Amino acid sequence: MRSCLFTLLTAIVVMGVAVANDDAKEDREKIQGTWQAVSVEDSGRKAPDEAVKNIKWVIAEDKITQYLGGKTRECSYVQNATKKPRWINLTESAHTTPGIYEVNGDSLKICFPEGSKGERPTAFESKPNSVNDILITLKRERR
């Protein structure tokens, strides 16, 4: 009886890990593509529409290329789709910024702290003096 119960519990755990891995893979595929910013907030202040329209992110399997007006930045990223809200870590030049993200169809929200605040945001909002500092909402570009 114990052996049967152990086998059943092991199977449930293995299935749970497989489902979590499938969710993570599906989530990773969901965010890949070209995204146009539709709104950006920094410390609770909305960025001007003129600046927002010049922001584009291209998300590939292992990196994000950010086009900010005439400048380009690249970072790698790691997701954790098992967390609520989902986690994303953005790494550029050996500096990792913890963030959260939400993908819903053709809409992607990412919130992260600015500068060296090492804490992960707790909500999709932008407030002064908070780890919920930068909030960017992007819309998938269709070709």
Side-chain angles (χ1 to χ4, degrees):
M1 180 70 171
R2 272 192 161 162
S3 177
C4 183
L5 182 59
F6 179 75
T7 302
L8 179 61
L9 289 175
T10 301
I12 290 170
V13 169
V14 168
M15 286 176 60
V17 169
V19 169
N21 286 340
D22 287 347
D23 287 348
K25 182 180 178 188
E26 182 180 319
D27 233 37
R28 190 166 191 86
E29 291 170 357
K30 279 183 187 178
I31 73 166
Q32 291 180 32
T34 301
W35 300 85
Q36 176 63 52
V38 293
S39 71
V40 177
E41 294 180 49
D42 183 353
S43 296
R45 294 182 309 269
K46 284 191 168 268
D49 290 341
E50 193 63 33
V52 171
K53 75 178 189 179
N54 291 316
I55 299 173
K56 185 180 292 191
W57 286 25
V58 177
I59 304 177
E61 186 175 338
D62 60 347
K63 72 177 178 177
I64 298 173
T65 304
Q66 301 168 353
Y67 298 94
L68 312 164
K71 298 179 182 178
T72 303
R73 293 174 56 179
E74 282 191 358
C75 66
S76 60
Y77 71 100
V78 176
Q79 296 168 261
N80 187 336
T82 65
K83 300 293 186 178
K84 300 293 181 209
R86 292 180 160 115
W87 289 6
I88 188 166
N89 290 341
L90 308 169
T91 302
E92 180 182 16
S93 302
H95 174 74
T96 299
T97 302
I100 56 175
Y101 75 97
E102 174 183 83
V103 62
N104 186 4
D106 288 337
S107 178
L108 173 63
K109 288 183 184 180
I110 298 179
C111 186
F112 54 92
E114 189 172 26
S116 60
K117 299 173 192 160
E119 294 179 56
R120 189 171 308 279
T122 56
F124 293 99
E125 60 188 9
S126 177
K127 292 183 172 182
N129 304 313
S130 168
V131 293
N132 302 328
D133 190 21
I134 307 288
L135 175 62
I136 182 167
T137 303
L138 303 124
K139 182 173 173 53
R140 184 185 306 276
E141 283 190 355
R142 294 290 179 181
R143 296 188 184 227

mmCIF file of all heavy atoms in Angstrom, residues 99-116:
data_model
loop_
_atom_site.group_PDB
_atom_site.id
_atom_site.type_symbol
_atom_site.label_atom_id
_atom_site.label_comp_id
_atom_site.label_asym_id
_atom_site.label_seq_id
_atom_site.Cartn_x
_atom_site.Cartn_y
_atom_site.Cartn_z
ATOM 1 N N GLY A 99 11.553 42.142 -12.017
ATOM 2 C CA GLY A 99 10.293 42.750 -12.416
ATOM 3 C C GLY A 99 9.159 41.748 -12.383
ATOM 4 O O GLY A 99 9.344 40.578 -12.037
ATOM 5 N N ILE A 100 7.982 42.232 -12.737
ATOM 6 C CA ILE A 100 6.819 41.380 -12.902
ATOM 7 C C ILE A 100 6.241 41.662 -14.281
ATOM 8 O O ILE A 100 6.457 42.734 -14.847
ATOM 9 C CB ILE A 100 5.760 41.597 -11.798
ATOM 10 C CG1 ILE A 100 5.317 43.060 -11.725
ATOM 11 C CG2 ILE A 100 6.281 41.102 -10.459
ATOM 12 C CD1 ILE A 100 4.180 43.325 -10.741
ATOM 13 N N TYR A 101 5.529 40.672 -14.819
ATOM 14 C CA TYR A 101 4.927 40.869 -16.134
ATOM 15 C C TYR A 101 3.587 40.168 -16.205
ATOM 16 O O TYR A 101 3.270 39.274 -15.421
ATOM 17 C CB TYR A 101 5.848 40.354 -17.247
ATOM 18 C CG TYR A 101 5.891 38.848 -17.374
ATOM 19 C CD1 TYR A 101 5.108 38.190 -18.311
ATOM 20 C CD2 TYR A 101 6.701 38.087 -16.553
ATOM 21 C CE1 TYR A 101 5.131 36.802 -18.415
ATOM 22 C CE2 TYR A 101 6.738 36.716 -16.646
ATOM 23 C CZ TYR A 101 5.951 36.075 -17.576
ATOM 24 O OH TYR A 101 5.966 34.712 -17.675
ATOM 25 N N GLU A 102 2.792 40.630 -17.172
ATOM 26 C CA GLU A 102 1.492 40.030 -17.425
ATOM 27 C C GLU A 102 1.247 40.115 -18.921
ATOM 28 O O GLU A 102 1.326 41.195 -19.504
ATOM 29 C CB GLU A 102 0.418 40.803 -16.668
ATOM 30 C CG GLU A 102 -0.997 40.373 -16.951
ATOM 31 C CD GLU A 102 -1.994 41.244 -16.207
ATOM 32 O OE1 GLU A 102 -2.311 42.334 -16.710
ATOM 33 O OE2 GLU A 102 -2.405 40.818 -15.110
ATOM 34 N N VAL A 103 0.993 38.978 -19.529
ATOM 35 C CA VAL A 103 0.673 38.955 -20.956
ATOM 36 C C VAL A 103 -0.767 38.488 -21.091
ATOM 37 O O VAL A 103 -1.180 37.509 -20.476
ATOM 38 C CB VAL A 103 1.659 38.074 -21.767
ATOM 39 C CG1 VAL A 103 1.625 36.634 -21.347
ATOM 40 C CG2 VAL A 103 1.414 38.199 -23.249
ATOM 41 N N ASN A 104 -1.522 39.276 -21.850
ATOM 42 C CA ASN A 104 -2.930 38.966 -22.050
ATOM 43 C C ASN A 104 -3.248 39.242 -23.518
ATOM 44 O O ASN A 104 -3.452 40.397 -23.907
ATOM 45 C CB ASN A 104 -3.792 39.823 -21.117
ATOM 46 C CG ASN A 104 -5.248 39.440 -21.163
ATOM 47 O OD1 ASN A 104 -5.642 38.487 -21.827
ATOM 48 N ND2 ASN A 104 -6.065 40.186 -20.438
ATOM 49 N N GLY A 105 -3.220 38.188 -24.325
ATOM 50 C CA GLY A 105 -3.448 38.359 -25.758
ATOM 51 C C GLY A 105 -2.343 39.192 -26.376
ATOM 52 O O GLY A 105 -1.168 38.840 -26.297
ATOM 53 N N ASP A 106 -2.714 40.327 -26.942
ATOM 54 C CA ASP A 106 -1.743 41.217 -27.589
ATOM 55 C C ASP A 106 -1.315 42.367 -26.697
ATOM 56 O O ASP A 106 -0.822 43.391 -27.176
ATOM 57 C CB ASP A 106 -2.329 41.757 -28.902
ATOM 58 C CG ASP A 106 -2.397 40.691 -29.979
ATOM 59 O OD1 ASP A 106 -1.630 39.714 -29.895
ATOM 60 O OD2 ASP A 106 -3.219 40.833 -30.902
ATOM 61 N N SER A 107 -1.499 42.219 -25.400
ATOM 62 C CA SER A 107 -1.103 43.247 -24.442
ATOM 63 C C SER A 107 -0.079 42.662 -23.467
ATOM 64 O O SER A 107 -0.239 41.548 -22.975
ATOM 65 C CB SER A 107 -2.330 43.747 -23.680
ATOM 66 O OG SER A 107 -1.965 44.715 -22.725
ATOM 67 N N LEU A 108 0.970 43.423 -23.199
ATOM 68 C CA LEU A 108 2.026 43.014 -22.280
ATOM 69 C C LEU A 108 2.307 44.161 -21.322
ATOM 70 O O LEU A 108 2.536 45.291 -21.751
ATOM 71 C CB LEU A 108 3.300 42.664 -23.057
ATOM 72 C CG LEU A 108 4.564 42.362 -22.259
ATOM 73 C CD1 LEU A 108 4.385 41.126 -21.380
ATOM 74 C CD2 LEU A 108 5.756 42.186 -23.194
ATOM 75 N N LYS A 109 2.253 43.879 -20.021
ATOM 76 C CA LYS A 109 2.607 44.860 -18.990
ATOM 77 C C LYS A 109 3.854 44.367 -18.285
ATOM 78 O O LYS A 109 3.951 43.184 -17.942
ATOM 79 C CB LYS A 109 1.495 44.996 -17.953
ATOM 80 C CG LYS A 109 0.267 45.691 -18.430
ATOM 81 C CD LYS A 109 -0.710 45.802 -17.274
ATOM 82 C CE LYS A 109 -2.010 46.405 -17.734
ATOM 83 N NZ LYS A 109 -2.966 46.506 -16.622
ATOM 84 N N ILE A 110 4.772 45.282 -18.055
ATOM 85 C CA ILE A 110 5.976 44.966 -17.298
ATOM 86 C C ILE A 110 6.195 46.095 -16.298
ATOM 87 O O ILE A 110 6.121 47.277 -16.650
ATOM 88 C CB ILE A 110 7.210 44.809 -18.213
ATOM 89 C CG1 ILE A 110 6.996 43.644 -19.183
ATOM 90 C CG2 ILE A 110 8.476 44.594 -17.381
ATOM 91 C CD1 ILE A 110 8.131 43.403 -20.139
ATOM 92 N N CYS A 111 6.454 45.718 -15.048
ATOM 93 C CA CYS A 111 6.736 46.689 -14.002
ATOM 94 C C CYS A 111 8.070 46.328 -13.374
ATOM 95 O O CYS A 111 8.336 45.153 -13.099
ATOM 96 C CB CYS A 111 5.620 46.657 -12.952
ATOM 97 S SG CYS A 111 5.766 47.932 -11.678
ATOM 98 N N PHE A 112 8.918 47.341 -13.168
ATOM 99 C CA PHE A 112 10.221 47.090 -12.566
ATOM 100 C C PHE A 112 10.721 48.351 -11.870
ATOM 101 O O PHE A 112 10.287 49.456 -12.192
ATOM 102 C CB PHE A 112 11.238 46.600 -13.613
ATOM 103 C CG PHE A 112 11.393 47.491 -14.809
ATOM 104 C CD1 PHE A 112 12.350 48.491 -14.841
ATOM 105 C CD2 PHE A 112 10.581 47.324 -15.931
ATOM 106 C CE1 PHE A 112 12.497 49.309 -15.950
ATOM 107 C CE2 PHE A 112 10.717 48.127 -17.044
ATOM 108 C CZ PHE A 112 11.685 49.131 -17.050
ATOM 109 N N PRO A 113 11.630 48.184 -10.914
ATOM 110 C CA PRO A 113 12.198 49.342 -10.235
ATOM 111 C C PRO A 113 13.284 49.979 -11.090
ATOM 112 O O PRO A 113 13.924 49.312 -11.894
ATOM 113 C CB PRO A 113 12.781 48.760 -8.945
ATOM 114 C CG PRO A 113 13.129 47.355 -9.311
ATOM 115 C CD PRO A 113 12.113 46.932 -10.334
ATOM 116 N N GLU A 114 13.469 51.250 -10.897
ATOM 117 C CA GLU A 114 14.520 51.968 -11.619
ATOM 118 C C GLU A 114 15.780 52.001 -10.758
ATOM 119 O O GLU A 114 15.702 52.026 -9.534
ATOM 120 C CB GLU A 114 14.059 53.396 -11.912
ATOM 121 C CG GLU A 114 14.970 54.164 -12.821
ATOM 122 C CD GLU A 114 14.357 55.488 -13.236
ATOM 123 O OE1 GLU A 114 13.517 56.026 -12.506
ATOM 124 O OE2 GLU A 114 14.736 55.990 -14.291
ATOM 125 N N GLY A 115 16.919 51.995 -11.419
ATOM 126 C CA GLY A 115 18.175 52.106 -10.692
ATOM 127 C C GLY A 115 18.535 50.845 -9.944
ATOM 128 O O GLY A 115 18.308 49.742 -10.405
ATOM 129 N N SER A 116 19.075 51.014 -8.742
ATOM 130 C CA SER A 116 19.633 49.876 -8.014
ATOM 131 C C SER A 116 18.693 49.313 -6.946
ATOM 132 O O SER A 116 19.121 48.562 -6.095
ATOM 133 C CB SER A 116 20.949 50.289 -7.366
ATOM 134 O OG SER A 116 20.712 51.358 -6.472
#
